[in-house]
Amino acid sequence: MQIILYIHILSATAWIGGSLLLFALGILLRDRCAQKQTYEHLGPIYGYFETFWLLSLWASGTYLYLYHGFNDVFRFSYNSDLSHMMHDKIYMVILLTLFTFIHLYIAFKTHTCSRTKLQHLLSRGSSLAIFVLNLIVLWYAIGVRSAL
Ligand code: HEM
């Protein structure tokens, strides 16, 4: 079990670290041309990198969920803090995963070509939502671990 927890935490650091870096680049890299070139080269690599770690989070998280018997926690102790925290965490990870699909879909569809206003809005919006949700999920993850 320890190795799975290790993989889960490693995946969380890679996944959140990657999203923080790209978010910082979006704000700090002001030069339009440099920004365009960076995203053109880094974009697809980043997309595959993040997808890999998100899948790893789901796989290792599901293992840990079953290992700790969360099905029974939900069934017999639905009103406990542990149950609420896990419930909220999973709900937010589902949202986060949906936003990631939207973001990746637009990114790969419009790679090296211009975006419509809607695509631009959805891409920026999903990116911001992923950033905020990541911080909240991390908070809940620590809460779950402390309550176990
Ligand atoms: C973006 C997605 C996720 C992130 C960033 C994340 C992050 C983390 C982190 C950092 C921990 C360790 C907390 C600590 O040691 O204080 C943790 C624990 C845990 N996570 Fe996740 N997680 C994610 C997705 C999931 C999913 C999808 C599940 C279940 C389906 C899950 C189930 C668990 C469980 C059961 C633990 C406690 C494991 C233990 O203490 O043995 N996680 N998570």
Side-chain angles (χ1 to χ4, degrees):
M1 196 288 277
Q2 201 174 333
I3 184 73
I4 305 294
L5 181 59
Y6 179 90
I7 292 171
H8 195 67
I9 293 176
L10 177 69
S11 310
T13 58
W15 161 259
I16 296 179
S19 91
L20 287 181
L21 176 68
L22 217 73
F23 194 78
L25 274 181
I27 295 170
L28 299 174
L29 205 62
R30 304 303 325 164
D31 182 80
R32 282 246 162 239
C33 184
Q35 204 177 61
K36 195 167 169 276
Q37 283 207 336
T38 308
Y39 283 120
E40 205 171 300
H41 294 289
L42 192 66
I45 302 170
Y46 175 78
Y48 292 122
F49 178 86
E50 289 293 85
T51 306
F52 173 82
W53 291 114
L54 185 58
L55 289 176
S56 173
L57 275 167
W58 269 105
S60 54
T62 304
Y63 179 95
L64 292 167
Y65 176 98
L66 296 173
Y67 177 87
H68 288 293
F70 269 99
N71 279 336
D72 287 342
V73 174
F74 283 136
R75 197 176 325 152
F76 299 115
S77 186
Y78 190 70
N79 281 320
S80 63
D81 282 351
L82 178 60
S83 161
H84 287 157
M85 272 186 289
M86 194 65 202
H87 177 275
D88 291 350
K89 180 181 167 183
I90 293 180
Y91 180 67
M92 278 182 282
V93 177
I94 291 172
L95 271 181
L96 194 151
T97 306
L98 286 177
F99 281 126
T100 303
F101 277 135
I102 294 174
H103 191 81
L104 286 178
Y105 177 75
I106 295 173
F108 279 110
K109 198 174 170 206
T110 60
H111 185 55
T112 71
C113 53
S114 58
R115 292 176 177 177
T116 64
K117 272 220 160 103
L118 180 67
Q119 286 170 335
H120 197 69
L121 195 76
L122 282 174
S123 175
R124 283 284 163 119
S126 56
S127 170
L128 185 66
I130 293 166
F131 177 76
V132 174
L133 280 169
N134 267 336
L135 301 180
I136 303 174
V137 166
L138 190 58
W139 185 261
Y140 277 89
I142 295 169
V144 168
R145 176 96 173 133
S146 314
L148 273 171

